[in-house]
Amino acid sequence: MLLFVAVSVVEFFIAAGQVSANRAFGTFGNATYLGLFGVLSIGLCGYLISQYRHAVVRGILFGIIALNVLSVIFSGSRGSLVGLAVGGFVFLLLA
């Protein structure tokens, strides 16, 4: 699972240089897919944070979450932004 998270970080940096009409789209060719991938990666990182106890790993995972939140925001996809908001709301309810 940690490999999947590492791939999401690499994808974010690849996407940083590819912008069309003020929307980042990465290698997917569509900003909606980048936003969806970011939202799913945030959930996976949250799960991994709950499983790992090592401080360095948890710090890296929190950094990955921050990068994925930025990728969702820069994708400009309304569906991904709604998914991010709903996911944050559910997290607050369960925490």
Side-chain angles (χ1 to χ4, degrees):
M1 281 196 190
L2 199 53
L3 178 63
F4 180 74
V5 174
V7 169
S8 72
V9 171
V10 172
E11 180 64 32
F12 177 80
F13 286 114
I14 290 172
Q18 300 181 12
V19 177
S20 171
N22 297 328
R23 293 176 68 186
F25 60 88
T27 58
F28 299 114
N30 191 336
T32 304
Y33 297 142
L34 177 65
L36 175 66
F37 186 75
V39 170
L40 292 174
S41 297
I42 290 168
L44 178 63
C45 287
Y47 170 74
L48 290 175
I49 287 171
S50 71
Q51 298 300 312
Y52 284 99
R53 297 293 174 224
H54 196 268
V56 173
V57 173
R58 290 172 65 109
I60 291 170
L61 289 170
F62 277 117
I64 292 170
I65 287 176
L67 290 174
N68 279 314
V69 167
L70 287 175
S71 73
V72 169
I73 292 170
F74 288 135
S75 75
S77 171
R78 292 182 305 243
S80 298
L81 290 172
V82 168
L84 184 64
V86 169
F89 181 71
V90 169
F91 174 76
L92 290 175
L93 286 178
L94 296 176

